[in-house]
Amino acid sequence: MAQQAFEDFEQTIQKLVEAFDRDLPKRGDAHMSEADLRLQYLDPFFGSLGWDVGNRALTPFYGREVVVEPPHLMQGAHRRPDYLFRVNGIDKFVCEAKRPQEELLRHHFQVQNYIFNLKLWIGVLSNFEQFKVFLVGGQPDKNRPFSPLDGWTIHFKSYSIAARQIWDTFGRHNVSNGSLDRLAQSSPKVYRPGKQGWLIKPERAKRIDAKFLGFLENHRARLARILRRKNTNFDGQSLTEATQKIINRLLFQRICEDRNIDVGLTLSATTTRWESGGKVQSQLWPSIVANFRHMSRTFNGGLYGKPNQTPHFIEALDVDDTWLADFLEELAGEDSSYLLAVIPVEILGSVYERFLGSVVADSGRVEPKPEVRKSKGVYYTPKIIVDEVVERTVGEAISGKSPAQLQSYRVADPACGSGSFLLGAFERLCHEHLVWLLGHPSEQKRENCYKSAVGDLRLTTGFKRDILVRSIFGVDIDAQAVEVTQMSLY
């Protein structure tokens, strides 16, 4: 059976190679768009490797094996990979596609940044003319990106020769059995003169979550010192609340911007206006605060306050515009390494779990909470454990239920922390609604679901909001943790 599948793959790529070779004379005419390349070549290429690129199994979005970036979002900011390949809900590798006439070298960093932000090891960059594979063991450098793995820059005319190599590594069944892990671990630690130093075996602890945590902690400490200097009457509790509230609001807006959600005036647009106006101090923060009114109306849940509610005291603070501009440049600048449309929400939760393990003292210094010092750290529940617990509790209880039946279900976490279990429960409830709607097409109404640009059935925002408000409840002794849970569930 496996041998037959491999032979089918060999036949398919041979046909694709022949067709692509016939197209080569036209290549310089830029006649083929990236969308055309994906449809005509890369989709069948990965399909012949056993991946359900077109979602023939009609799996709900949350469980899709291949998450494909819609064609109308390919241009512009490059915030998501074209393909994300998954096995049993776990991300395995990405592929970024380019037009045949494009030079791939200038896109090495882009695919590597996707790999890093998704906390993966392996990624592919291809215009079909070439198939390049990258191992990312640390933060990529835009000016000196990693080179492809040895033996993994494959020209299309060599696809037949490299068929076994490609199949054994990227075939769906082989990926499920750990082929990519073996590829990563078998790569030696070597120094490559003229390239980006050491190519190391990936260490998950030194990846995007640790970098993002360091980024937030550094800016939080700097902001706390600034607020303490400008507001001498603040105590540690006020400083702790102010620093987190400011960072939460800015971070949440950036997440929305990266996911194409309307936020009114973007942070980068606000910063550009301030810069073009001469960078007048004490004007950038009020401009951002003015947009909070829009965010408050859009997200009526507490993070930005509620309409007709007294504004939070941070809105009247004198926030140093130099710090603010620096923070936004790292978070929202054109060269920002944080792709918040790609970073999984649970990574944001794990970062905040450790972020919440400290407070700002009266002096303005950031210090571990007493209970954290006593326990020697803050520990975040890994997603694989969250998923297992949710499946054995919520999943077993709601499986096979209709939306009408699911309305009576409630999930409560009495010590929700940064919300990892509630996030898992909410996703599981949304998944069950989609499963039922896929099986009952007559119940697919405009108010509860829609078809995406790539044909996925997805729940509407309003319907998901109803599920969230009706079924998900959390409590925690730490009000800051509750705010993080709200932000993640938003």
Side-chain angles (χ1 to χ4, degrees):
M1 188 72 171
Q3 180 61 28
Q4 182 60 53
F6 171 67
E7 290 174 0
D8 291 343
F9 166 67
E10 284 187 302
Q11 293 176 11
T12 298
I13 60 170
Q14 184 58 41
K15 292 177 181 177
L16 292 173
V17 164
E18 292 171 358
F20 190 79
D21 198 25
R22 289 194 298 270
D23 268 341
L24 272 181
K26 309 172 188 175
R27 191 163 58 101
D29 300 332
H31 76 293
M32 183 177 289
S33 67
E34 182 183 312
D36 289 337
L37 176 88
R38 284 169 47 172
L39 182 65
Q40 295 178 36
Y41 294 102
L42 290 182
D43 284 5
F45 179 87
F46 285 113
S48 65
L49 283 166
W51 296 98
D52 188 2
V53 178
N55 195 28
R56 294 184 301 276
L58 298 179
T59 304
F61 173 72
Y62 296 99
R64 277 208 65 167
E65 187 171 276
V66 184
V67 179
V68 180
E69 178 74 341
H72 70 282
L73 295 179
M74 290 178 196
Q75 306 301 321
H78 304 300
R79 307 305 289 186
R80 295 178 187 266
D82 293 317
Y83 300 88
L84 171 61
F85 296 86
R86 316 172 76 214
V87 175
N88 298 325
I90 300 174
D91 300 344
K92 292 297 183 180
F93 74 99
V94 298
C95 175
E96 181 64 15
K98 297 299 172 186
R99 295 184 301 168
Q101 58 270 25
E102 286 201 54
E103 170 54 53
L104 294 185
L105 180 61
R106 65 189 187 93
H107 300 292
H108 283 193
F109 173 77
Q110 182 186 352
V111 68
Q112 290 169 26
N113 210 22
Y114 290 142
I115 299 167
F116 181 71
N117 276 266
L118 282 161
K119 210 176 179 182
L120 300 175
W121 291 354
I122 301 293
V124 174
L125 176 65
S126 181
N127 57 3
F128 200 79
E129 184 174 2
Q130 287 187 314
F131 184 93
K132 295 187 174 187
V133 178
F134 298 90
L135 168 67
V136 175
Q139 182 186 359
D141 184 336
K142 185 172 185 178
N143 297 316
R144 298 177 64 209
F146 297 110
S147 297
L149 282 172
D150 287 341
W152 279 105
T153 298
I154 305 174
H155 190 267
F156 81 98
K157 290 188 176 181
S158 298
Y159 283 170
S160 295
I161 298 172
R164 175 56 71 177
Q165 174 187 349
I166 297 171
W167 175 264
D168 287 348
T169 307
F170 290 98
R172 196 271 180 205
H173 177 74
N174 296 315
V175 170
S176 178
N177 288 329
S179 61
L180 298 182
D181 292 335
R182 290 190 293 274
L183 175 63
Q185 295 305 321
S186 66
S187 299
K189 181 176 180 180
V190 294
Y191 185 76
R192 298 183 173 185
K195 300 181 181 179
Q196 192 179 328
W198 294 95
L199 174 63
I200 61 172
K201 294 182 180 180
E203 297 180 52
R204 291 189 183 277
K206 296 181 179 179
R207 294 175 69 74
I208 183 63
D209 47 356
K211 180 177 185 293
F212 196 55
L213 173 64
F215 162 72
L216 291 180
E217 286 183 330
N218 289 338
H219 276 285
R220 180 198 197 189
R222 183 178 165 191
L223 176 60
R225 291 192 298 271
I226 290 168
L227 294 180
R228 184 71 182 85
R229 186 173 66 248
K230 290 175 173 287
N231 303 273
T232 55
N233 61 325
F234 270 17
D235 58 14
Q237 182 176 349
S238 297
L239 285 169
T240 299
E241 181 178 349
T243 53
Q244 178 158 339
K245 180 74 73 171
I246 290 169
I247 289 175
N248 281 359
R249 288 191 179 187
L250 296 173
L251 177 59
F252 181 74
Q253 181 167 339
R254 273 301 299 146
I255 294 171
C256 292
E257 291 172 3
D258 254 11
R259 298 184 181 207
N260 298 306
I261 297 170
D262 175 35
V263 296
L265 192 64
T266 67
L267 294 171
S268 59
T270 305
T271 305
T272 299
R273 284 187 182 182
W274 174 72
E275 291 172 342
S276 62
K279 298 185 179 181
V280 180
Q281 285 296 310
S282 301
Q283 287 193 0
L284 179 55
W285 175 244
S287 298
I288 290 173
V289 168
N291 194 58
F292 288 166
R293 304 283 74 78
H294 172 85
M295 301 295 284
S296 175
R297 291 189 298 272
T298 305
F299 301 98
N300 180 18
L303 181 60
Y304 292 90
K306 297 183 179 182
N308 304 317
Q309 185 182 65
T310 302
H312 194 275
F313 72 83
I314 65 165
E315 298 187 16
L317 292 179
D318 181 5
V319 176
D320 183 76
D321 285 347
T322 302
W323 167 81
L324 187 56
D326 289 347
F327 180 70
L328 295 181
E329 177 61 26
E330 286 190 70
L331 188 67
E334 187 176 326
D335 293 331
S336 173
S337 60
Y338 301 114
L339 305 180
L340 295 171
V342 171
I343 295 177
V345 174
E346 60 271 9
I347 288 183
L348 297 176
S350 70
V351 165
Y352 262 108
E353 192 88 349
R354 289 174 285 172
F355 189 76
L356 295 173
S358 58
V359 293
V360 182
D362 291 353
S363 64
R365 290 175 57 87
V366 178
E367 301 175 350
K369 291 180 178 177
E371 59 270 28
V372 173
R373 285 198 300 267
K374 186 176 180 180
S375 65
K376 298 182 181 180
V378 174
Y379 303 96
Y380 185 77
T381 308
K383 186 177 187 302
I384 190 169
I385 295 177
V386 171
D387 291 344
E388 182 69 14
V389 172
V390 167
E391 188 55 40
R392 289 179 178 237
T393 53
V394 178
E396 291 182 5
I398 68 174
S399 183
K401 301 293 192 298
S402 69
Q405 293 171 313
L406 291 172
Q407 288 189 16
S408 64
Y409 282 83
R410 305 288 184 270
V411 179
D413 186 343
C416 64
S418 59
S420 56
F421 286 100
L422 291 180
L423 274 171
F426 178 54
E427 289 182 351
R428 187 64 181 80
L429 279 163
C430 291
H431 177 82
E432 201 60 39
H433 279 85
L434 279 172
V435 169
W436 196 89
L437 288 169
L438 280 167
H440 299 80
S442 63
E443 297 299 317
Q444 296 176 11
K445 311 295 184 184
R446 290 180 61 184
E447 61 270 18
N448 60 23
C449 63
Y450 67 99
K451 288 287 183 68
S452 73
V454 294
D456 290 325
L457 187 70
R458 301 195 184 186
L459 302 180
T460 63
T461 301
F463 193 58
K464 286 192 289 186
R465 177 193 179 279
D466 291 343
I467 297 170
L468 177 61
V469 172
R470 180 179 61 243
S471 299
I472 301 295
F473 297 85
V475 180
D476 200 277
I477 195 170
D478 188 338
Q480 296 175 70
V482 171
E483 182 168 286
V484 172
T485 298
Q486 287 180 317
M487 183 169 69
S488 297
L489 286 167
Y490 280 156

